[in-house]
Amino acid sequence: MTTTTPPATSRAAVTATATGAPRAAHRWRRRSARRRSTPLTIVMLAVLAYFLLPLFWLAVASTKSTQDLFNSFGLWFSHAPQLLENIRETLTHDDGVFLHWLLNTILYSVGSAVGAALLAAAAGYGFAKYRFRGNNAAFSLVLGAVMIPTTALAIPTYLLFAKADLVNTPWAIVLPSLVSPFGLYLMRVYAQDAVPDSILEAARIDGAGELRIFFQIALRLLAPGLVTVVLFTLVATWNNYFLPLIMLNDPRLYRVTVGLSSWASQAVGGGAGANSNMLALVVTGSLISIVPLVVAFLLLQRYWQSGLATGGVKQ
């Protein structure tokens, strides 16, 4: 039986590979160590605390009674936590009106978010994939609309809806929220790279119409960006306060933001009101109202991240 000795070049290559891997790992660790910055870490921790501290205070305050809110330390629990009692009183106060407000908020926000995302996707796809006279001018107008604060349009919107006899109806909240200039801008930028022109041309050669191409092909490719717009619009509509305040007069149509504001005014100016624990109900209601947003963000964040990344990469 004979054995063959590997050539010297092979042994050298194996040795170089064996010694090169630890060296490469060592260099990678050194570069990673250089990238660490203690001041930057401190700044990031301070920013994290800045954003989480209000949520922590809200969670702690929701376990207290109105008296404990003023008599105990604000950033820690009282000697007698009563979170479940506060939640029960919040949900049952005034014949469970808070549940009506929460349901109204969900219906208004979800309807507005889905409708605004579909309109933004259609308009953004049109701006990105079609060439027509005035394309750039119209898109510049959209960019200008992004800079206009929504509160500046609340009074003109109210006057317009008053003429149409839509004030004090759910349509007064949903219809203005369907227009999202930022969503249109985002979908236009995303559609430029997410929807290849070759796929559209192939569909047209096969005889597909433009509406069929959009709903069956383009809309599926735009799904990550669509979810991104849904998330942004959902948060903006959920937190909207001024528009529902001036549009709605019936307390049964209130959203959570307006309803909790009315409870807060009773707690501050009511004196001996019907419920001496009203301020605790406002705090607990605020905690309950952010839970759906947190759940929606946790469920949709992966689509949000992929949507932002894909739209910004050139092929």
Side-chain angles (χ1 to χ4, degrees), residues 112 150 157 161 170-180 240 243 247:
S112 301
T150 55
T157 304
F161 278 70
W171 295 110
I173 307 301
V174 175
L175 290 180
S177 303
L178 295 178
V179 180
S180 176
N240 196 353
L243 182 64
M247 287 290 188

Side-chain angles (χ1 to χ4, degrees), residues 156-214:
T157 304
Y158 172 80
L159 297 177
L160 181 63
F161 278 70
K163 290 290 185 180
D165 198 21
L166 292 176
V167 174
N168 202 32
T169 65
W171 295 110
I173 307 301
V174 175
L175 290 180
S177 303
L178 295 178
V179 180
S180 176
F182 176 74
L184 193 157
Y185 165 75
L186 188 64
M187 291 306 298
R188 193 251 190 181
V189 173
Y190 182 78
Q192 284 180 334
D193 297 314
V195 183
D197 294 334
S198 57
I199 294 181
L200 301 182
E201 292 299 330
R204 293 188 181 105
I205 292 174
D206 289 339
E210 296 300 327
L211 288 179
R212 184 179 179 184
I213 292 174
F214 173 72

Side-chain angles (χ1 to χ4, degrees), residues 202-266:
R204 293 188 181 105
I205 292 174
D206 289 339
E210 296 300 327
L211 288 179
R212 184 179 179 184
I213 292 174
F214 173 72
F215 285 105
Q216 295 189 359
I217 299 176
L219 202 58
R220 296 182 181 182
L221 296 175
L222 294 174
L226 196 69
V227 174
T228 304
V229 178
V230 167
L231 182 60
F232 284 161
T233 309
L234 180 68
V235 173
T237 310
W238 191 283
N239 295 328
N240 196 353
Y241 169 74
F242 189 51
L243 182 64
L245 178 66
I246 66 175
M247 287 290 188
L248 302 176
N249 300 321
D250 186 0
R252 307 296 290 188
L253 295 176
Y254 280 175
R255 317 163 52 105
V256 168
T257 51
V258 181
L260 291 179
S261 177
S262 65
W263 279 4
S265 62
Q266 296 176 26

Side-chain angles (χ1 to χ4, degrees), residues 53-207:
L53 189 61
L55 295 178
F56 178 74
W57 177 89
L58 186 62
V60 170
S62 299
T63 66
K64 301 180 181 180
S65 63
T66 300
Q67 292 74 19
D68 290 337
L69 286 174
F70 296 98
N71 298 332
S72 61
F73 180 58
L75 294 179
W76 198 244
F77 302 93
S78 63
H79 63 280
Q82 53 177 37
L83 176 61
L84 296 180
E85 181 180 350
N86 287 342
I87 293 176
R88 180 183 59 80
E89 291 187 11
T90 302
L91 299 180
T92 58
H93 179 70
D94 197 10
D95 296 329
V97 69
F98 180 82
L99 291 176
H100 285 279
W101 295 341
L102 189 60
L103 180 60
N104 291 338
T105 306
I106 293 174
L107 293 178
Y108 299 159
S109 301
V110 173
S112 301
V114 173
L118 290 176
L119 290 177
Y125 170 78
F127 275 114
K129 296 302 175 181
Y130 294 98
R131 295 295 176 264
F132 53 89
R133 183 176 300 177
N135 187 323
N136 294 332
F139 190 70
S140 299
L141 186 63
V142 172
L143 293 180
V146 174
M147 304 178 187
I148 301 177
T150 55
T151 52
L153 302 175
I155 300 301
T157 304
Y158 172 80
L159 297 177
L160 181 63
F161 278 70
K163 290 290 185 180
D165 198 21
L166 292 176
V167 174
N168 202 32
T169 65
W171 295 110
I173 307 301
V174 175
L175 290 180
S177 303
L178 295 178
V179 180
S180 176
F182 176 74
L184 193 157
Y185 165 75
L186 188 64
M187 291 306 298
R188 193 251 190 181
V189 173
Y190 182 78
Q192 284 180 334
D193 297 314
V195 183
D197 294 334
S198 57
I199 294 181
L200 301 182
E201 292 299 330
R204 293 188 181 105
I205 292 174
D206 289 339

